[in-house]
Amino acid sequence: MPMKRFKKSENPMLNQIKDAVTFIHKRSSMKPEIAIVLGTGLGNMAKKIKTEAAIDYAEIPHFPVSTVESHTGQLVLGTLSGRHVAAMEGRFHFYEGYSLLDVTFPVRVLKELGAKILVVSNAAGGMNLDYPKGQIVLIDDHINFMGVNPLIGSNDDRLGPRFPDMSAPYSKRLMKLTEDAAKGLNLPLRRGVYMGVTGPNLETRAEYRMMRNLGADLVGMSTIPEVIVGVHMGMEILGVSIVTDVCDPDHLEAVDIKEIIRIANEAGPKLDRLLETAIAKF
Ligand code: HPA
């Protein structure tokens, strides 16, 4: 999707969102209340959904076309804990070469389908040394360190404001409900600040040190574009990270992506249980 200037009456994105929604409605008339974006290694949660429709991204009009090296995934519509949900099993990353308009297009479609709440999950590096590997952390604020922004370009007031407020992108109400659910499950849960980078390389020791000094507890290569677009459209947002590698600049071990995915997979069932329980109260 080109980042073009346009006359408001001609904004191509509005029609593209409508095309995608019309197509999805042909497969399921369900109106999701909650949109869920499942992060790396965390896609298994979609299997818990009592599925009405599972639609390959490739079928949905105007969804980004998958690059060779990444398999994209599917949109799962159904019921989880008695709530109507639409879950993205797999997301698009900036480092794969997609524009941020492409990365965030599905979030706009999910909002147009009816979702007022957006839950985003990811695998992240932990700079806060109090977090062990596998720790679940609620994102209570973020630092956009990607050097780009999905809202750059002409703004369409029908989608959201030119200058969205960012004083509280993550919902205190949803965090409190999730913390209550964690207590009930006896699951340790922390809060932290997430810093978003483009990737695809992991960070140097000096970069981790700088990020920690700048106030970040977590670092990852996703989530922030989707959250910015969610805020732009007035969605209530919950962000959750799983710490997959401990980023101590003074004792940094080499990580490889297989290990990151293994830790995310291992912690996945805990996060699934937490979200399943919390979502019932959202
Ligand atoms: N850095 C960036 N992204 C990541 C990391 C990391 O250490 N771990 C998981 N995703």
Side-chain angles (χ1 to χ4, degrees):
M1 226 182 286
M3 230 184 263
K4 264 189 0 193
R5 299 179 68 77
F6 52 83
K7 285 200 211 116
K8 271 195 187 145
S9 56
E10 298 168 357
N11 180 359
M13 202 208 285
L14 282 182
N15 286 330
Q16 289 167 347
I17 294 168
K18 288 206 176 79
D19 288 347
V21 166
T22 303
F23 176 84
I24 293 165
H25 277 158
K26 281 190 208 144
R27 301 284 290 271
S28 167
S29 59
M30 199 199 79
K31 183 178 162 183
E33 311 160 77
I34 303 170
I36 307 172
V37 180
L38 298 169
T40 303
L42 303 169
N44 273 336
M45 189 184 177
K47 297 195 175 59
K48 298 211 161 184
I49 297 170
K50 215 166 126 228
T51 304
E52 271 215 10
I55 311 170
D56 281 347
Y57 294 158
E59 295 181 69
I60 305 173
H62 313 297
F63 259 48
V65 177
S66 121
T67 58
V68 180
E69 65 273 26
S70 73
H71 68 99
T72 44
Q74 53 179 2
L75 180 67
V76 179
L77 291 119
T79 309
L80 184 69
S81 304
R83 308 297 298 268
H84 288 166
V85 302
M88 285 184 64
E89 200 180 337
R91 58 145 63 88
F92 300 96
H93 297 90
F94 189 58
Y95 64 72
E96 294 173 276
Y98 300 107
S99 74
L100 286 191
L101 286 180
D102 281 341
V103 167
T104 56
F105 180 74
V107 179
R108 297 215 181 265
V109 172
L110 291 168
K111 171 70 173 23
E112 186 63 25
L113 278 172
K116 293 196 165 59
I117 291 175
L118 174 66
V119 176
V120 281
S121 68
N122 61 53
M127 270 91 65
N128 183 330
L129 302 183
D130 291 340
Y131 302 160
K133 272 189 196 180
Q135 174 72 52
I136 304 176
V137 186
L138 291 183
I139 302 175
D140 79 13
D141 209 346
H142 74 220
I143 300 172
N144 179 9
F145 212 67
M146 298 179 86
V148 283
N149 192 300
L151 304 182
I152 288 174
S154 300
N155 187 65
D156 190 325
D157 298 335
R158 290 168 290 187
L159 290 171
R162 170 76 288 186
F163 301 108
D165 173 56
M166 279 286 160
S167 57
Y170 301 90
S171 161
K172 290 196 166 55
R173 184 183 80 88
L174 298 182
M175 278 194 274
K176 170 80 172 55
L177 290 170
T178 309
E179 283 167 343
D180 290 347
K183 273 197 200 105
L185 293 166
N186 217 358
L187 237 161
L189 182 62
R190 302 288 305 270
R191 287 192 185 197
V193 173
Y194 177 94
M195 182 177 266
V197 293
T198 63
N201 60 276
L202 295 160
E203 286 68 34
T204 64
R205 286 165 295 156
E207 285 167 343
Y208 284 132
R209 194 171 289 118
M210 174 199 70
M211 290 171 175
R212 199 169 63 181
N213 288 340
L214 289 177
D217 299 295
L218 303 156
V219 58
M221 306 173 194
S222 66
T223 301
I224 290 186
E226 291 113 319
V227 168
I228 289 174
V229 163
V231 169
H232 186 238
M233 294 185 299
M235 297 176 92
E236 199 181 5
I237 299 172
L238 181 82
V240 194
S241 291
I242 300 253
V243 175
T244 52
D245 49 309
V246 176
C247 307
D248 177 356
D250 300 315
H251 306 91
L252 192 61
E253 288 170 19
V255 284
D256 77 296
I257 189 70
K258 285 201 195 81
E259 171 70 358
I260 286 176
I261 291 171
R262 189 185 69 76
I263 299 284
N265 278 326
E266 208 173 271
K270 271 192 306 184
L271 181 60
D272 296 350
R273 229 177 313 130
L274 176 63
L275 290 180
E276 247 188 307
T277 311
I279 277 171
K281 302 263 166 28
F282 282 5

